[in-house]
Amino acid sequence: MEYIQIHPADNVLVALQDLSKGTVIYFDELPIILQNDVKAKHKFFINDMNIGDEVLMYGVLVGKAITSIVKGGLMTTENIKHASQDYSYRGVNLQWQAPDVSAFEHRTFNGYHRKDGSVGTANYWLFVPTVFCENRNLDVIKEALNNSLGYEVTQKYKEFTGQLLHAYAAGEAIETFQVDQLANLPSTKSRVFKNVDGIKFLNHQGGCGGTRQDAELLSKLLASYADHPNVAGITVLSLGCQNLQTDNLLADIKKRNPSFDKPVFIFEQQQSKSEEDLIKEAILKTFIGLTEIDKIERSPAPLSKLCVGVKCGGSDGFSGISANPAVGYTSDLLVALGAKVLLAEFPELCGAEQNIIDRCVDQQTAEKFIRLMQEYDAQAHAVGSGFYMNPSPGNIKDGLITDAIKSTGAAKKAGTSPVVDVLDYTEPATLPGLSLVCTPGNDVEATTGKAASGATLILFTTGLGTPTGNPVCPVIKIATNTALATKMGDIIDIDTGAIIRGEKTIQEMGTEILEYCIKAASGEITPKAVLLNQDDFIPWKRGVSL
């Protein structure tokens, strides 16, 4: 196929391959002469456009013409601008047709069962600093524990540097070396604790010096990670005098989960004999804790115990055609099975609001979504920005010309099921089904927020490639196109390029993604982001972040 019309109402077509100026395209048996070279992923118009005419894609308003455009003309930032439809609660009674899940009804995954009834897809020990002053101590402990216990992934780079040093000392010309000439060494030593999937460290820049509200929100965020189903034990490092006091953190943990009973070891530097004593004591107690959580083993759990976040980053013009709709079908399968699905990135729902509102199960849910969207966008406008400024230069270069185009394609990750709940930042997901989580579109802030609401796996689609991961929630990378999956195979887990080529349907690909999720949740396969220790963690201070 040369092109695709995504929705019958659209007045643009998407090129599925590079097309040359002057090429004649037949659409509805009528000829369209391309007025420009059109690269794959970009759009061209099926009729003449006048200034002010509406641009429709995915069946909704995504922009308006700011110049006259000839039929067959290329869509650019010079000839259209962002526009999206107004939205409101309309009381639509959604009649959802759930997909057939008979093939998955009796399937299970092997997870870590917690006493509160939740089930983790991994078994981690977590280090939490209550203030940025403790980051250095965390770094020292991280190097000591990860290197000794088999969680270090940088060993091959240390060996690589050692080989360079040896060659330099021998007088060899380093400038002529090619990286593939040097030994391909193993990434890690073997793990000491077979049932402990990792030791994770939540370095951050908060806890003091900002507003009290910043410290309060950080406390809720850290509490959510301590309570996460993938976490089995926690070590807390505190300086002592910071805004975020340890007692506040412990209170937020208990408020979030009154039955919380995981081991928590607390060390306060201002009450310690010395920094060395603090670090050694923290390592000792944590080591003892690791021996205990290593006794926890995986056992079968129904798929309804999964909580899957859906995310896109480094998006391209194929995101809304291949990877996102495929993940959307996976989302519908999960919802039909009684699992939880989390869609976040509120700046990237701009233009898709009415569809989402019409899917809300009741007026209260819809109005909470409307309020959070409007308050967030108003914050952005107050500092001279807005949701319309979300697309990055890379997004635009690869065909996402307006935020509404990017957003309507991004929303496809959530499938078609009803919206059962709307969660503000750090609020936990409690209901089976699709929930919305208020976060920025920023990759790391969004994944940080999804894990805070309880995601135990994250499906992350990308068209351009991004190395984002999360400390406690395995992130599965899904490429929109085969060229990316081939070029960046070290970070990509699943390739949906077969959809673009017409070799697989969205439903077939979505089913394959769910199969991958079951294997990842069971520890049978390890996503690349986990193998590479891509443990990105950025708390959102609720300032303007798109």
Side-chain angles (χ1 to χ4, degrees):
M1 292 176 59
E2 294 179 311
Y3 64 85
I4 186 173
Q5 184 188 40
I6 297 175
H7 188 279
D10 294 355
N11 55 9
V12 297
L13 303 177
V14 183
L16 298 180
Q17 59 189 57
D18 291 349
L19 301 172
S20 301
K21 178 180 179 180
T23 299
V24 179
I25 295 294
Y26 284 90
F27 177 72
D28 284 347
E29 299 183 354
L30 297 175
I32 300 174
I33 302 173
L34 296 185
Q35 304 298 305
N36 314 84
D37 290 335
V38 182
K39 291 184 177 180
K41 309 177 186 178
H42 285 263
K43 292 84 182 166
F44 56 93
F45 291 90
I46 64 176
N47 49 255
D48 293 335
M49 301 286 289
N50 297 314
I51 296 174
D53 284 353
E54 294 185 344
V55 181
L56 302 178
M57 192 171 168
Y58 299 100
V60 300
L61 175 66
V62 297
K64 289 187 177 181
I66 54 176
T67 65
S68 296
I69 308 169
V70 177
K71 181 171 75 171
L74 175 69
M75 180 195 293
T76 70
T77 55
E78 283 73 42
N79 59 26
I80 78 163
K81 67 176 182 179
H82 167 86
S84 59
Q85 68 183 102
D86 294 332
Y87 56 88
S88 62
Y89 178 68
R90 304 190 299 193
V92 173
N93 183 20
L94 179 67
Q95 300 297 314
W96 184 52
Q97 183 63 49
D100 179 12
V101 292
S102 56
F104 291 97
E105 280 180 331
H106 302 294
R107 295 282 298 279
T108 60
F109 72 97
N110 284 324
Y112 294 99
H113 293 249
R114 308 304 179 192
K115 292 181 181 179
D116 63 2
S118 63
V119 182
T121 63
N123 197 37
Y124 294 127
W125 190 279
L126 188 66
F127 272 80
V128 176
T130 57
V131 64
F132 58 83
C133 307
E134 292 301 313
N135 282 345
R136 179 188 168 279
N137 288 334
L138 250 69
D139 291 341
V140 172
I141 295 170
K142 178 178 181 178
E143 183 175 359
L145 286 176
N146 282 353
N147 187 58
S148 300
L149 301 181
Y151 302 108
E152 177 64 69
V153 300
T154 61
Q155 184 61 31
K156 60 182 177 182
Y157 302 117
K158 293 177 181 177
E159 296 286 351
F160 176 80
T161 305
Q163 290 182 25
L164 287 176
L165 179 61
H166 179 77
Y168 175 74
E172 298 180 36
I174 302 300
E175 295 80 6
T176 63
F177 272 64
Q178 300 294 319
V179 293
D180 56 4
Q181 288 180 280
L182 299 173
N184 186 16
L185 295 151
S187 300
T188 63
K189 304 173 183 177
S190 59
R191 281 181 4 199
V192 173
F193 300 113
K194 303 304 181 184
N195 294 321
V196 180
D197 295 300
I199 307 168
K200 302 299 182 176
F201 299 80
L202 299 186
N203 293 49
H204 59 78
Q205 302 303 314
C208 201
T211 66
R212 291 298 191 269
Q213 290 83 356
D214 286 342
E216 290 168 3
L217 187 59
L218 177 63
S219 180
K220 290 183 174 67
L221 177 65
L222 298 178
S224 72
Y225 273 64
D227 187 48
H228 196 280
N230 290 355
V231 172
I234 305 96
T235 300
V236 179
L237 295 191
S238 167
L239 179 60
C241 58
Q242 70 278 347
N243 288 346
L244 174 49
Q245 290 287 296
T246 302
D247 288 346
N248 301 134
L249 174 60
L250 296 177
D252 279 330
I253 292 173
K254 279 294 185 181
K255 183 177 180 181
R256 185 181 180 93
N257 183 0
S259 62
F260 180 89
D261 64 350
K262 299 174 186 177
V264 179
F265 303 141
I266 299 171
F267 301 92
E268 188 168 296
Q269 187 162 8
Q270 290 172 346
Q271 298 300 318
S272 181
K273 297 177 183 177
S274 66
E275 184 174 287
E276 180 178 342
D277 186 74
L278 173 85
I279 291 172
K280 286 181 176 178
E281 187 70 17
I283 290 174
L284 171 61
K285 288 292 182 64
T286 300
F287 193 96
I288 294 170
L290 290 168
T291 65
E292 290 301 313
I293 71 168
D294 190 46
K295 298 174 184 176
I296 306 170
E297 296 185 348
R298 292 181 182 270
S299 59
L303 299 186
S304 59
K305 288 293 186 178
L306 288 174
C307 183
V308 179
V310 293
K311 170 78 180 82
C312 54
S315 299
D316 70 348
F318 284 162
S319 291
I321 300 172
S322 59
N324 289 352
V327 167
Y329 188 72
T330 308
S331 299
D332 284 347
L333 291 171
L334 286 163
V335 170
L337 290 163
K340 300 184 185 77
V341 175
L342 307 180
L343 174 70
E345 304 174 273
F346 274 28
E348 297 184 13
L349 298 179
C350 176
E353 296 100 335
Q354 192 62 61
N355 172 268
I356 290 171
I357 292 166
D358 291 344
R359 290 165 58 185
C360 288
V361 292
D362 54 36
Q363 185 170 355
Q364 181 180 3
T365 303
E367 288 182 347
K368 184 175 181 180
F369 171 65
I370 292 169
R371 175 179 62 80
L372 289 171
M373 283 290 286
Q374 292 178 344
E375 289 176 354
Y376 193 167
D377 195 32
Q379 277 186 294
H381 277 88
V383 294
S385 188
F387 285 173
Y388 68 94
M389 297 183 73
N390 175 267
S392 70
N395 295 150
I396 294 168
K397 182 180 178 181
D398 262 44
L400 301 177
I401 304 300
T402 72
D403 188 47
I405 292 175
K406 182 179 180 181
S407 296
T408 45
K412 295 292 182 182
K413 302 189 302 294
T416 60
S417 69
V419 175
V420 299
D421 205 358
V422 176
L423 310 173
D424 205 348
Y425 186 66
T426 75
E427 287 185 337
T430 59
L431 300 177
L434 173 65
S435 294
L436 308 180
V437 183
C438 185
T439 74
N442 173 297
D443 290 349
V444 180
E445 288 175 323
T447 51
T448 298
K450 283 188 180 71
S453 288
T456 52
L457 291 175
I458 292 175
L459 295 173
F460 192 123
T461 70
T462 182
L464 304 176
T466 173
T468 301
N470 182 265
V472 304
C473 181
V475 175
I476 299 165
K477 290 290 174 49
I478 303 172
T480 71
N481 61 90
T482 300
L484 171 66
T486 302
K487 181 178 67 173
M488 301 184 74
D490 59 330
I491 67 170
I492 298 297
D493 300 297
I494 301 172
D495 174 19
T496 63
I499 295 174
I500 300 298
R501 296 190 298 275
E503 297 170 3
K504 290 184 180 178
T505 66
I506 287 169
Q507 292 76 18
E508 288 171 336
M509 201 72 242
T511 302
E512 288 184 21
I513 293 170
L514 179 53
E515 290 285 2
Y516 188 101
C517 286
I518 295 170
K519 291 178 181 178
S522 301
E524 296 173 19
I525 190 168
T526 305
K528 305 289 180 59
V530 178
L531 288 173
L532 295 169
N533 270 4
Q534 292 170 342
D535 294 340
D536 303 295
F537 177 79
I538 299 180
W540 183 29
K541 288 188 175 183
R542 294 308 288 258
V544 176
S545 179
L546 297 179

